[in-house]
Amino acid sequence: MHPRPSPIAASLYTLRDLNADVIVMHGPHGCCFRTGRLLESDGVRVVTTAMAENDFILGAGEKLQETLQEAYDTFNPKLMGIVGTCASMIIGEDLKEPIENLGLDCVILPVESHGGFGEGDNTEGAIAVLNAAVEYGVIPQEEADRQNEMLRLATHVEKTRGMAQGKYIKPNFGDSKEKVARIIVKAIKEGKNVAFVLNAKKETSYLFADILNCDFSPLVDGAESNKDIENLHFIANLDENIGLPRIRQHAVNITKELNETGIDIECITGGLDEYPITPRKAEEYLKEIKPDLVIVAGVPHALYVEELDCETVAVTDGPRLVQPLNELGYSHVIAELDAHSKTLGIDSIVDSDFGMMIRSVIEWELEEN
């Protein structure tokens, strides 16, 4: 009943992950404009055919062909994508014919997506891109099958444990960041068993990894870095060998930066596009180490928090996810805002509001003592 991400936007993001140089949106110039503008920060040129009322009646195949030619001449791309919109798909526009007519010296993926594609789930748009990528030889069938399975599982998580459960969910900005940061700092200072779990989605991991990227060693006598704190654990879905090239590079970048600041990931749960299933390995490891406090950042609703017998903190990027996370059983819920916009076009960890608050509380604790 409340607005949710669009299949069109998911198509755009997935083409970005395939390292597309240019994306042509076949529709009105205002369709999905925010996503298109944001992707420019990631080095993708997003243009539109600017369909208008007459085009809804007479068709806009010539406009699409002209836009493709101009985009090719302007940007000299190796890989382009055409993404359908509600307007072009309802009138049955042929996205392949202009590609065949032009015969441009680059790969062009036609993606027949629209706002109500399939069941209207955003993941349907991503699946459409992956299937087109197989058809045009950009990725192997095996990788598309793996990705499609992850996307279907992600949809299941959202429909059963997230914000796509069918009811209206009022936005909620969660608990006080200072209050929860003090709980974490106090637990580490008192020698309690504390585990940080990064279960993040693709580029948003640059924001959520910041919550792990704190130096707690000043709180513990004799510790020179986090590695010296016996009861501090770091778990993350940062497998560098899984996913599309852009996604694997995110994992490489974050792991390197965490290592440089004295943080070792002791349990790798999977890749950054496997967030629907990586919590299973995290849960097994948590049962082994028996923590007193667990902080889950990224997609916390994919983890079965109800099976943990300890205090828990969820860190999410969705105000509409705060209520579902409370209902799942998290002791505290923190909401980070604008994770996508803050992490586009970057290749290093960015400051999160909660991470900065944790570091501030550490400083305040040291000043008080």
Side-chain angles (χ1 to χ4, degrees):
M1 292 180 66
H2 50 76
R4 291 191 54 232
S6 163
I8 302 171
S11 295
L12 296 173
Y13 279 117
T14 307
L15 282 165
R16 182 275 316 268
D17 292 341
L18 289 169
N19 288 328
D21 302 296
V22 179
I23 301 172
V24 177
M25 293 191 64
H26 190 32
H29 56 68
C31 185
C32 233
F33 82 98
R34 175 169 168 78
T35 304
R37 287 183 179 179
L38 287 174
L39 285 178
E40 293 273 344
S41 300
D42 251 350
V44 185
R45 302 295 168 239
V46 182
V47 298
T48 172
T49 56
M51 289 178 69
E53 286 185 350
N54 284 343
D55 301 315
F56 303 158
I57 301 169
L58 303 174
E62 289 185 10
K63 274 191 174 181
L64 175 57
Q65 189 164 311
E66 291 169 2
T67 305
L68 282 170
Q69 183 68 61
E70 185 173 353
Y72 179 79
D73 294 341
T74 303
F75 302 112
N76 191 30
K78 293 182 175 62
L79 176 62
M80 296 176 65
I82 305 172
V83 175
T85 63
C86 297
S88 60
M89 293 296 95
I90 286 173
I91 66 174
E93 287 281 89
D94 187 341
L95 303 186
K96 294 183 178 181
E97 184 178 1
I99 299 173
E100 296 167 357
N101 290 343
L102 290 171
L104 300 176
D105 186 22
C106 71
V107 177
I108 304 176
L109 303 182
V111 182
E112 297 185 353
S113 179
H114 56 82
F117 191 47
E119 295 296 319
D121 297 315
N122 62 317
T123 49
E124 294 288 351
I127 290 171
V129 172
L130 294 166
N131 291 341
V134 171
E135 182 180 349
Y136 285 80
V138 176
I139 61 173
Q141 183 67 58
E142 294 77 14
E143 176 62 14
D145 291 343
R146 187 191 68 81
Q147 296 249 354
N148 287 342
E149 179 63 16
M150 290 302 107
L151 290 164
R152 292 188 182 96
L153 290 170
T155 298
H156 178 72
V157 169
E158 291 300 330
K159 287 187 171 181
T160 58
R161 301 174 64 82
M163 67 174 182
Q165 298 177 50
K167 59 185 179 180
Y168 177 78
I169 302 174
K170 182 180 178 180
N172 184 322
F173 295 96
D175 297 317
S176 161
K177 291 180 176 65
E178 179 181 344
K179 176 184 175 182
V180 179
R182 288 189 179 277
I183 290 171
I184 295 170
V185 168
K186 184 173 184 288
I188 293 173
K189 187 177 180 181
E190 292 178 350
K192 290 184 178 179
N193 207 9
V194 177
F196 285 84
V197 179
L198 179 68
N199 191 57
K201 178 181 178 180
K202 300 185 178 182
E203 73 276 0
T204 63
S205 54
Y206 286 118
L207 180 81
F208 291 112
D210 182 58
I211 293 157
L212 283 65
N213 198 31
C214 300
D215 183 8
F216 294 103
S217 62
L219 301 171
V220 179
D221 291 340
E224 295 183 2
S225 73
N226 287 326
K227 296 178 182 179
D228 300 321
I229 305 176
E230 183 178 355
N231 290 329
L232 185 58
H233 308 274
F234 296 100
I235 302 163
N237 61 327
L238 289 173
D239 193 316
E240 302 173 4
N241 301 305
I242 295 176
L244 300 175
R246 182 183 290 262
I247 305 306
R248 295 200 304 270
Q249 189 60 50
H250 295 334
V252 171
N253 295 342
I254 292 170
T255 301
K256 180 181 178 183
E257 192 167 348
L258 290 175
N259 288 342
E260 288 173 352
T261 54
I263 296 171
D264 281 338
I265 305 301
E266 58 194 72
C267 177
I268 300 291
T269 57
L272 286 171
D273 62 6
E274 293 188 311
Y275 56 93
I277 63 170
T278 45
R280 304 295 82 79
K281 188 170 181 179
E283 290 153 8
E284 292 177 6
Y285 193 73
L286 290 171
K287 289 175 183 177
E288 290 179 15
I289 63 175
K290 296 181 174 58
D292 301 300
L293 173 64
V294 176
I295 302 95
V296 187
V299 187
H301 48 298
L303 185 134
Y304 296 151
V305 64
E306 57 270 31
E307 297 181 3
L308 299 180
D309 185 21
C310 63
E311 191 170 12
T312 52
V313 177
V315 188
T316 178
D317 67 342
R320 293 187 195 272
L321 277 167
V322 172
Q323 179 183 325
L325 288 165
N326 281 322
E327 292 173 353
L328 287 174
Y330 277 98
S331 312
H332 316 280
V333 181
I334 297 294
E336 288 280 349
L337 301 180
D338 301 322
H340 282 288
S341 59
K342 288 179 179 178
T343 54
L344 286 173
I346 63 168
D347 57 9
S348 61
I349 295 173
V350 298
D351 288 339
S352 64
D353 292 339
F354 191 45
M356 289 190 291
M357 178 55 71
I358 293 173
R359 288 187 282 273
S360 294
V361 170
I362 293 172
E363 291 180 9
W364 298 339
E365 184 72 23
L366 296 176
E367 289 172 1
E368 290 172 3
N369 295 305

